[in-house]
Short mmCIF file of all heavy atoms in Angstrom, two decimals:
data_model
loop_
_atom_site.label_atom_id
_atom_site.label_comp_id
_atom_site.label_asym_id
_atom_site.label_seq_id
_atom_site.Cartn_x
_atom_site.Cartn_y
_atom_site.Cartn_z
N LEU A 128 -27.08 10.08 -32.91
CA LEU A 128 -27.92 10.18 -31.72
C LEU A 128 -29.40 10.37 -32.00
O LEU A 128 -30.24 9.54 -31.71
CB LEU A 128 -27.39 11.26 -30.76
CG LEU A 128 -28.03 11.25 -29.36
CD1 LEU A 128 -27.73 9.99 -28.63
CD2 LEU A 128 -27.61 12.51 -28.54
N LEU A 129 -29.75 11.47 -32.65
CA LEU A 129 -31.15 11.82 -32.87
C LEU A 129 -31.80 10.80 -33.77
O LEU A 129 -32.88 10.27 -33.47
CB LEU A 129 -31.30 13.26 -33.38
CG LEU A 129 -32.72 13.82 -33.32
CD1 LEU A 129 -32.66 15.34 -33.14
CD2 LEU A 129 -33.53 13.47 -34.53
N GLN A 130 -31.20 10.55 -34.88
CA GLN A 130 -31.82 9.59 -35.87
C GLN A 130 -31.81 8.18 -35.35
O GLN A 130 -32.74 7.44 -35.57
CB GLN A 130 -31.14 9.73 -37.18
CG GLN A 130 -31.40 11.12 -37.85
CD GLN A 130 -30.59 11.37 -39.08
OE1 GLN A 130 -29.62 10.68 -39.34
NE2 GLN A 130 -31.00 12.34 -39.89
N GLY A 131 -30.73 7.78 -34.64
CA GLY A 131 -30.64 6.44 -34.11
C GLY A 131 -31.69 6.21 -33.00
O GLY A 131 -32.34 5.18 -32.99
N LEU A 132 -31.85 7.18 -32.17
CA LEU A 132 -32.86 7.07 -31.08
C LEU A 132 -34.24 7.06 -31.71
O LEU A 132 -35.18 6.34 -31.22
CB LEU A 132 -32.76 8.17 -30.06
CG LEU A 132 -31.48 8.13 -29.18
CD1 LEU A 132 -31.50 9.29 -28.22
CD2 LEU A 132 -31.46 6.85 -28.34
N THR A 133 -34.42 7.81 -32.74
CA THR A 133 -35.73 7.81 -33.44
C THR A 133 -36.01 6.40 -34.00
O THR A 133 -37.11 5.83 -33.76
CB THR A 133 -35.72 8.83 -34.57
OG1 THR A 133 -35.51 10.14 -34.07
CG2 THR A 133 -37.08 8.80 -35.35
N ALA A 134 -35.01 5.85 -34.73
CA ALA A 134 -35.20 4.53 -35.29
C ALA A 134 -35.53 3.49 -34.23
O ALA A 134 -36.44 2.67 -34.33
CB ALA A 134 -34.01 4.16 -36.07
N LEU A 135 -34.74 3.53 -33.12
CA LEU A 135 -34.94 2.55 -32.02
C LEU A 135 -36.37 2.68 -31.42
O LEU A 135 -37.04 1.64 -31.20
CB LEU A 135 -33.92 2.84 -30.91
CG LEU A 135 -32.76 1.87 -30.71
CD1 LEU A 135 -31.97 2.31 -29.51
CD2 LEU A 135 -33.24 0.46 -30.54
N THR A 136 -36.77 3.88 -31.07
CA THR A 136 -38.06 4.02 -30.45
C THR A 136 -39.19 3.70 -31.38
O THR A 136 -40.23 3.16 -30.96
CB THR A 136 -38.25 5.47 -29.86
OG1 THR A 136 -38.01 6.42 -30.91
CG2 THR A 136 -37.31 5.73 -28.70
N LEU A 137 -39.00 3.93 -32.66
CA LEU A 137 -40.03 3.61 -33.66
C LEU A 137 -40.23 2.07 -33.69
O LEU A 137 -41.42 1.63 -33.64
CB LEU A 137 -39.66 4.07 -35.06
CG LEU A 137 -39.78 5.59 -35.33
CD1 LEU A 137 -39.30 5.90 -36.74
CD2 LEU A 137 -41.21 6.06 -35.12
N VAL A 138 -39.16 1.28 -33.74
CA VAL A 138 -39.32 -0.15 -33.89
C VAL A 138 -39.66 -0.86 -32.53
O VAL A 138 -40.09 -2.02 -32.55
CB VAL A 138 -38.08 -0.88 -34.50
CG1 VAL A 138 -37.80 -0.24 -35.87
CG2 VAL A 138 -36.90 -0.78 -33.60
N ARG A 139 -39.45 -0.14 -31.42
CA ARG A 139 -39.78 -0.71 -30.14
C ARG A 139 -41.18 -0.34 -29.66
O ARG A 139 -41.95 -1.11 -29.18
CB ARG A 139 -38.78 -0.29 -29.05
CG ARG A 139 -37.39 -0.78 -29.23
CD ARG A 139 -37.16 -2.12 -28.50
NE ARG A 139 -35.76 -2.41 -28.50
CZ ARG A 139 -35.11 -2.96 -29.51
NH1 ARG A 139 -35.84 -3.42 -30.53
NH2 ARG A 139 -33.85 -3.20 -29.44
N GLU A 140 -41.42 1.00 -29.78
CA GLU A 140 -42.66 1.50 -29.15
C GLU A 140 -43.79 1.90 -30.11
O GLU A 140 -44.95 1.67 -29.87
CB GLU A 140 -42.28 2.70 -28.24
CG GLU A 140 -41.36 2.33 -27.15
CD GLU A 140 -41.50 3.24 -25.92
OE1 GLU A 140 -42.63 3.60 -25.55
OE2 GLU A 140 -40.45 3.58 -25.35
N ALA A 141 -43.39 2.56 -31.22
CA ALA A 141 -44.49 2.95 -32.13
C ALA A 141 -45.13 1.72 -32.74
O ALA A 141 -46.36 1.60 -32.78
CB ALA A 141 -43.88 3.87 -33.29
N HIS A 142 -44.30 0.78 -33.15
CA HIS A 142 -44.85 -0.51 -33.52
C HIS A 142 -43.74 -1.51 -33.12
O HIS A 142 -42.64 -1.47 -33.59
CB HIS A 142 -45.08 -0.72 -34.98
CG HIS A 142 -45.67 -2.10 -35.35
ND1 HIS A 142 -46.98 -2.33 -35.55
CD2 HIS A 142 -45.03 -3.28 -35.46
CE1 HIS A 142 -47.16 -3.62 -35.80
NE2 HIS A 142 -45.99 -4.20 -35.76
N ASN A 143 -44.03 -2.41 -32.15
CA ASN A 143 -43.02 -3.33 -31.66
C ASN A 143 -42.80 -4.43 -32.73
O ASN A 143 -43.53 -5.36 -32.80
CB ASN A 143 -43.55 -3.94 -30.30
CG ASN A 143 -42.46 -4.72 -29.65
OD1 ASN A 143 -41.31 -4.81 -30.11
ND2 ASN A 143 -42.81 -5.41 -28.54
N VAL A 144 -41.80 -4.15 -33.54
CA VAL A 144 -41.60 -5.07 -34.67
C VAL A 144 -41.01 -6.42 -34.23
O VAL A 144 -40.11 -6.48 -33.35
CB VAL A 144 -40.61 -4.41 -35.69
CG1 VAL A 144 -40.31 -5.35 -36.87
CG2 VAL A 144 -41.14 -3.09 -36.19
N LYS A 145 -41.53 -7.50 -34.81
CA LYS A 145 -41.08 -8.84 -34.45
C LYS A 145 -40.39 -9.49 -35.64
O LYS A 145 -40.66 -9.07 -36.78
CB LYS A 145 -42.32 -9.71 -34.05
CG LYS A 145 -43.11 -9.19 -32.92
CD LYS A 145 -42.52 -9.58 -31.60
CE LYS A 145 -43.45 -9.30 -30.41
NZ LYS A 145 -43.99 -7.99 -30.29
N LYS A 146 -39.61 -10.48 -35.32
CA LYS A 146 -38.91 -11.27 -36.38
C LYS A 146 -39.97 -11.74 -37.39
O LYS A 146 -41.06 -12.26 -36.97
CB LYS A 146 -38.26 -12.48 -35.68
CG LYS A 146 -37.39 -13.26 -36.58
CD LYS A 146 -36.62 -14.32 -35.81
CE LYS A 146 -35.80 -15.08 -36.83
NZ LYS A 146 -35.15 -16.20 -36.46
N GLY A 147 -39.63 -11.62 -38.66
CA GLY A 147 -40.53 -12.13 -39.68
C GLY A 147 -41.57 -11.12 -40.15
O GLY A 147 -42.30 -11.37 -41.13
N ASP A 148 -41.81 -10.01 -39.38
CA ASP A 148 -42.79 -9.02 -39.83
C ASP A 148 -42.40 -8.38 -41.19
O ASP A 148 -41.19 -8.14 -41.39
CB ASP A 148 -42.85 -7.91 -38.80
CG ASP A 148 -43.67 -8.25 -37.52
OD1 ASP A 148 -44.32 -9.28 -37.53
OD2 ASP A 148 -43.61 -7.43 -36.56
N TRP A 149 -43.40 -8.11 -41.95
CA TRP A 149 -43.16 -7.31 -43.19
C TRP A 149 -43.30 -5.80 -42.82
O TRP A 149 -44.31 -5.41 -42.28
CB TRP A 149 -44.15 -7.67 -44.27
CG TRP A 149 -43.80 -8.96 -44.95
CD1 TRP A 149 -44.35 -10.19 -44.77
CD2 TRP A 149 -42.80 -9.09 -45.94
NE1 TRP A 149 -43.78 -11.09 -45.58
CE2 TRP A 149 -42.82 -10.47 -46.33
CE3 TRP A 149 -41.85 -8.23 -46.55
CZ2 TRP A 149 -41.92 -10.97 -47.27
CZ3 TRP A 149 -40.97 -8.77 -47.50
CH2 TRP A 149 -41.03 -10.09 -47.86
N VAL A 150 -42.26 -5.04 -43.13
CA VAL A 150 -42.21 -3.64 -42.75
C VAL A 150 -41.88 -2.80 -43.96
O VAL A 150 -40.96 -3.19 -44.73
CB VAL A 150 -41.17 -3.43 -41.59
CG1 VAL A 150 -41.07 -1.96 -41.22
CG2 VAL A 150 -41.51 -4.30 -40.43
N LEU A 151 -42.55 -1.67 -44.11
CA LEU A 151 -42.16 -0.74 -45.21
C LEU A 151 -41.58 0.54 -44.62
O LEU A 151 -42.09 1.10 -43.69
CB LEU A 151 -43.48 -0.34 -45.99
CG LEU A 151 -43.34 0.54 -47.17
CD1 LEU A 151 -42.54 -0.10 -48.32
CD2 LEU A 151 -44.72 0.98 -47.70
N VAL A 152 -40.39 0.90 -45.15
CA VAL A 152 -39.68 2.11 -44.72
C VAL A 152 -39.55 3.06 -45.89
O VAL A 152 -38.88 2.71 -46.91
CB VAL A 152 -38.27 1.75 -44.20
CG1 VAL A 152 -37.48 3.00 -43.83
CG2 VAL A 152 -38.32 0.77 -43.01
N HIS A 153 -40.19 4.22 -45.81
CA HIS A 153 -40.01 5.21 -46.87
C HIS A 153 -38.72 5.97 -46.64
O HIS A 153 -38.23 6.08 -45.55
CB HIS A 153 -41.19 6.24 -46.87
CG HIS A 153 -42.48 5.60 -47.36
ND1 HIS A 153 -42.60 4.95 -48.54
CD2 HIS A 153 -43.75 5.60 -46.78
CE1 HIS A 153 -43.89 4.53 -48.70
NE2 HIS A 153 -44.58 4.91 -47.62
N ALA A 154 -38.20 6.51 -47.77
CA ALA A 154 -36.93 7.27 -47.71
C ALA A 154 -35.84 6.40 -47.03
O ALA A 154 -35.14 6.85 -46.12
CB ALA A 154 -37.06 8.62 -47.02
N ALA A 155 -35.72 5.13 -47.51
CA ALA A 155 -34.90 4.16 -46.84
C ALA A 155 -33.37 4.45 -46.86
O ALA A 155 -32.62 3.89 -46.13
CB ALA A 155 -35.15 2.79 -47.41
N ALA A 156 -32.96 5.40 -47.75
CA ALA A 156 -31.55 5.75 -47.80
C ALA A 156 -31.23 7.06 -47.09
O ALA A 156 -30.11 7.57 -47.17
CB ALA A 156 -31.04 5.81 -49.26
N GLY A 157 -32.22 7.60 -46.41
CA GLY A 157 -32.00 8.88 -45.69
C GLY A 157 -31.28 8.59 -44.39
O GLY A 157 -30.94 7.42 -44.08
N GLY A 158 -31.07 9.64 -43.62
CA GLY A 158 -30.41 9.44 -42.33
C GLY A 158 -31.13 8.50 -41.42
O GLY A 158 -30.57 7.46 -40.99
N THR A 159 -32.40 8.74 -41.17
CA THR A 159 -33.18 7.87 -40.31
C THR A 159 -33.45 6.54 -41.00
O THR A 159 -33.38 5.50 -40.39
CB THR A 159 -34.50 8.57 -39.95
OG1 THR A 159 -34.18 9.88 -39.43
CG2 THR A 159 -35.27 7.78 -38.88
N GLY A 160 -33.67 6.60 -42.30
CA GLY A 160 -34.04 5.40 -43.06
C GLY A 160 -32.93 4.35 -43.02
O GLY A 160 -33.26 3.15 -42.81
N LEU A 161 -31.71 4.72 -43.20
CA LEU A 161 -30.62 3.71 -43.19
C LEU A 161 -30.48 3.05 -41.82
O LEU A 161 -30.21 1.86 -41.73
CB LEU A 161 -29.28 4.43 -43.62
CG LEU A 161 -29.08 4.77 -45.09
CD1 LEU A 161 -27.73 5.44 -45.29
CD2 LEU A 161 -29.22 3.54 -45.95
N LEU A 162 -30.65 3.86 -40.80
CA LEU A 162 -30.51 3.27 -39.46
C LEU A 162 -31.73 2.37 -39.20
O LEU A 162 -31.61 1.27 -38.57
CB LEU A 162 -30.42 4.41 -38.40
CG LEU A 162 -29.21 5.33 -38.54
CD1 LEU A 162 -29.23 6.40 -37.53
CD2 LEU A 162 -27.94 4.51 -38.46
N LEU A 163 -32.88 2.75 -39.63
CA LEU A 163 -34.08 1.89 -39.51
C LEU A 163 -33.87 0.53 -40.20
O LEU A 163 -34.16 -0.54 -39.66
CB LEU A 163 -35.30 2.59 -40.12
CG LEU A 163 -36.26 3.37 -39.18
CD1 LEU A 163 -37.36 4.06 -40.02
CD2 LEU A 163 -36.92 2.42 -38.20
#
Side-chain angles (χ1 to χ4, degrees):
L128 191 63
L129 193 150
Q130 294 172 341
L132 291 178
T133 300
L135 252 184
T136 53
L137 286 177
V138 303
R139 293 268 191 277
E140 298 207 40
H142 182 100
N143 189 5
V144 179
K145 302 277 192 308
K146 188 173 179 190
D148 281 351
W149 281 103
V150 177
L151 182 65
V152 175
H153 288 308
T159 309
L161 286 178
L162 299 177
L163 262 174

